Amino acid sequence: PIEYVAMKEYYLKMLDFVPQLREIAEKVEWHPPSAKYLWLNWINSLTMDWPISRRRYYGTEIPIWYCKKCGAPNLPEPGKYYKPWMEQPPFNKCAKCGGSDGFIGETRTFDTWVDSSISPLFISLYPGNVKESNESFFKKLSSRPYLCDLRPQGKDIVGTWLNYTMLRILQILDKPAFKHVWISGHVVDKDGRKMSKSLGNIVYPEPVVAKYGADAVRLYASMIASLGDDVRFDESKVAGVARFLQKLWNIARFISNFPEPTEVFSLTETDKWILSELNKLIRKVDESYSSFDFHPGTVALYNFTWNVFASHYVEMVKARAYNRNGTFSESEQKAAHWTLHFCLKTILKLLAPVTPFITDAIWRQLYSRESIHKEKFPEADPSMILEEDYTPLILETNSVLWKVKKNAGLSLKVPLKTVILPKKLEAFAMDLREMHNIEELQFSDEPKGNGFEEFQADGKRILVAVN
Ligand SMILES: [Zn+2]
């Protein structure tokens, strides 16, 4: 049988502060926004103040001595750490009764969150910490509406670490502890179960990092779930991300075949199309990183780099970049070189915060002796974003023409006799003709003729005569 014994303990007032904590919840910027309700639900469910004394041996000592004569608790001046259970107090007389019969030191310790709830004071050099005078600390603080910029933490300790920190800083400084609160989910196993020793499903990060590299693990963690959601760890997906980084390396090696022009040449429509997509990407990644949610940005980077830039643009301009037959003018060739390098440099800079090692290695090999991490983050240029969206049509048209050859058992180098594409693609004619080795390329929105196979790309008709 278990018997409950009521004991006297120290409490910190919390219920009285709930209305002010609710106001703080509205002032803070939450990432994701739904995280606000994790905390609000918690403070709305509180039914008692915070018990802060513990009957545990290990912990932060409570600096109190009790007067032997009257029993009153006596506290030392702030500024020094005391162990009352083994040390004499730094005073001789009781502050209450003036008695000098001696003192009994407190043997209890604090709840662990009593220390961790003032971590923002510690990092912001609250008086008592070195390096800054009290005067300059409070002057700095008076000019801003919160103590620290950011609290990144897991969702499981919203009711403790976050809650007690907000409470303590409110009580001490009368302001929110943070401007932003950034709440992440948990890494669970691939079936969604919490990792635990008893289930034997714990994945230790070190071997995964050793096998795939820290960059792959970081990019995987960014891509695999939206901010605040749990991450189901699946090693095969880390392997997939590692293959992407291998692909990035190969793209860089290919582009390094061509000199980077020092000036912008007159760009072709194909170049303008990929630069338009690139600028949309910059905007998306910037928004994503700025909101502390790396998921949409890194997924967009992955898709652009592999599924649009490498699979389509690079393939479309290969012939122009090499220009082995002199089909293209020098200006057209250099426009391809410039665009390839500009896209690669931008991709590297956008990826650098998430995959700092591989991007820096490529950057230093190709572009500079200085680190990529000294570069400015790219800014989107709205004037480079085209009104027309060519991407679905280009991607699906290329896929159709590749599939035609594959289905006929032909190598991709084998020529196609006649292809009739939608008029919208006419501006890309030269690159498309060279890429797919088309002998006769026509454009029509109402294509007709005998001996053609018909396909669809982005809802438009395409006719192909293989031979
Ligand atoms: Zn006393």
Side-chain angles (χ1 to χ4, degrees):
I2 295 171
E3 186 183 357
Y4 289 95
V5 180
M7 303 179 98
K8 278 199 157 186
E9 296 295 344
Y10 285 107
Y11 285 76
L12 186 68
K13 278 196 184 298
M14 185 155 61
L15 295 177
D16 291 353
F17 291 87
V18 165
Q20 283 166 274
L21 293 174
R22 284 196 197 110
E23 283 173 27
I24 287 176
E26 299 304 327
K27 286 179 191 162
V28 167
E29 292 179 38
W30 297 87
H31 310 278
S34 60
K36 176 169 82 173
Y37 299 99
L38 291 176
W39 188 44
L40 272 178
N41 289 344
W42 179 262
I43 55 182
N44 287 335
S45 71
L46 292 171
T47 55
M48 65 175 196
D49 290 325
W50 175 17
I52 54 170
S53 53
R54 293 285 184 276
R55 291 161 196 276
R56 285 182 196 148
Y57 185 79
Y58 291 105
T60 299
E61 279 92 347
I62 300 177
I64 295 177
W65 283 266
Y66 300 93
C67 172
K68 275 185 180 169
K69 190 174 173 193
C70 75
N74 280 250
L75 277 76
E77 293 292 318
K80 189 170 174 277
Y81 190 88
Y82 293 101
K83 299 176 173 180
W85 58 276
M86 63 174 289
E87 286 174 5
Q88 289 301 312
F91 40 77
N92 298 317
K93 285 185 176 174
C94 172
K96 191 176 180 198
C97 72
S100 51
D101 294 1
F103 296 89
I104 299 167
E106 175 64 80
T107 55
R108 286 172 294 178
T109 54
F110 277 125
D111 176 25
T112 186
W113 303 104
V114 170
D115 292 319
S116 46
S117 60
I118 53 167
S119 53
L121 292 179
F122 185 79
I123 58 172
S124 57
L125 305 176
Y126 185 71
N129 287 316
V130 288
K131 288 182 189 163
E132 190 168 10
S133 70
N134 296 4
E135 196 188 347
S136 82
F137 174 82
F138 284 107
K139 195 177 165 198
K140 185 177 72 187
L141 198 61
S142 65
S143 65
R144 59 186 196 202
Y146 48 84
L147 177 59
C148 290
D149 285 302
L150 175 66
R151 161 59 68 79
Q153 66 161 71
K155 64 179 180 180
D156 52 329
I157 48 176
V158 165
T160 47
W161 197 28
L162 180 67
N163 182 55
Y164 294 140
T165 306
M166 290 297 199
L167 176 69
R168 298 289 303 283
I169 303 306
L170 170 67
Q171 291 173 339
I172 295 168
L173 296 172
D174 196 26
K175 56 180 73 198
F178 309 103
K179 183 180 187 192
H180 300 274
V181 173
W182 182 17
I183 302 290
S184 57
H186 290 161
V187 180
V188 294
D189 78 5
K190 70 181 195 308
D191 302 316
R193 295 175 307 174
K194 193 179 171 213
M195 291 190 189
S196 75
K197 279 184 182 160
S198 57
L199 284 174
N201 60 350
I202 293 177
V203 177
Y204 291 94
E206 292 86 351
V208 182
V209 169
K211 190 169 172 187
Y212 300 101
D215 277 349
V217 176
R218 286 167 61 101
L219 182 55
Y220 162 79
S222 305
M223 286 179 62
I224 204 64
S226 289
L227 179 61
D229 289 350
D230 285 346
V231 173
R232 292 185 175 209
F233 183 80
D234 183 347
E235 188 177 331
S236 70
K237 288 182 178 160
V238 183
V241 171
R243 281 194 295 278
F244 167 77
L245 295 177
Q246 183 66 49
K247 179 80 182 174
L248 178 68
W249 189 267
N250 292 339
I251 294 167
R253 195 169 51 190
F254 169 73
I255 293 174
S256 72
N257 286 321
F258 310 107
E260 185 190 11
T262 49
E263 54 185 301
V264 189
F265 285 77
S266 54
L267 301 167
T268 72
E269 296 307 309
T270 312
D271 305 327
K272 288 177 188 167
W273 161 66
I274 200 66
L275 291 168
S276 170
E277 290 302 304
L278 183 75
N279 277 280
K280 288 185 208 167
L281 176 75
I282 295 170
R283 202 147 67 182
K284 190 159 195 174
V285 173
D286 194 4
E287 278 171 16
S288 164
Y289 291 1
S290 301
S291 67
F292 301 97
D293 185 356
F294 289 78
H295 176 256
T298 48
V299 168
L301 257 168
Y302 180 101
N303 285 332
F304 173 83
T305 304
W306 196 327
N307 301 328
V308 180
F309 179 65
S311 296
H312 293 271
Y313 178 77
V314 170
E315 293 301 323
M316 283 170 83
V317 301
K318 245 178 197 168
R320 178 149 58 95
Y322 284 118
N323 202 18
R324 284 180 177 129
N325 307 326
T327 312
F328 296 89
S329 71
E330 192 188 346
S331 160
E332 287 167 335
Q333 183 185 12
K334 288 193 170 171
H337 295 172
W338 185 87
T339 308
L340 285 167
H341 281 285
F342 186 79
C343 288
L344 175 61
K345 287 162 88 170
T346 305
I347 289 167
L348 293 173
K349 288 181 207 169
L350 293 174
L351 268 174
V354 182
T355 57
F357 301 108
I358 188 172
T359 51
D360 199 41
I362 296 172
W363 183 263
R364 287 177 196 242
Q365 283 198 31
L366 298 190
Y367 298 118
S368 175
R369 286 182 184 177
E370 293 283 345
S371 168
I372 193 170
H373 304 297
K374 291 183 175 175
E375 291 291 311
K376 278 186 73 176
F377 196 76
E379 275 180 46
D381 178 355
S383 73
M384 293 181 88
I385 295 176
L386 305 173
E387 274 184 34
E388 189 81 52
D389 184 9
Y390 293 100
T391 304
L393 184 58
I394 290 175
L395 267 53
E396 289 179 33
T397 299
N398 286 334
S399 298
V400 161
L401 298 179
W402 285 325
K403 203 170 71 186
V404 166
K405 291 185 184 178
K406 196 180 164 211
N407 289 350
L410 301 171
S411 142
L412 289 181
K413 288 173 187 162
V414 170
L416 292 170
K417 187 160 169 268
T418 310
V419 175
I420 309 177
L421 297 177
K423 270 193 157 316
K424 194 176 168 183
L425 290 176
E426 197 159 5
F428 308 94
M430 283 190 63
D431 288 325
L432 288 171
R433 183 187 295 126
E434 293 301 311
M435 173 192 196
H436 295 291
N437 198 1
I438 301 168
E439 288 176 350
E440 190 184 345
L441 179 58
Q442 301 172 19
F443 295 91
S444 169
D445 287 335
E446 289 167 358
K448 42 183 177 271
N450 294 325
F452 288 100
E453 279 186 88
E454 181 168 331
F455 302 91
Q456 294 261 329
D458 194 28
K460 294 185 161 60
R461 292 167 62 220
I462 290 178
L463 297 187
V464 182
V466 178
N467 46 41

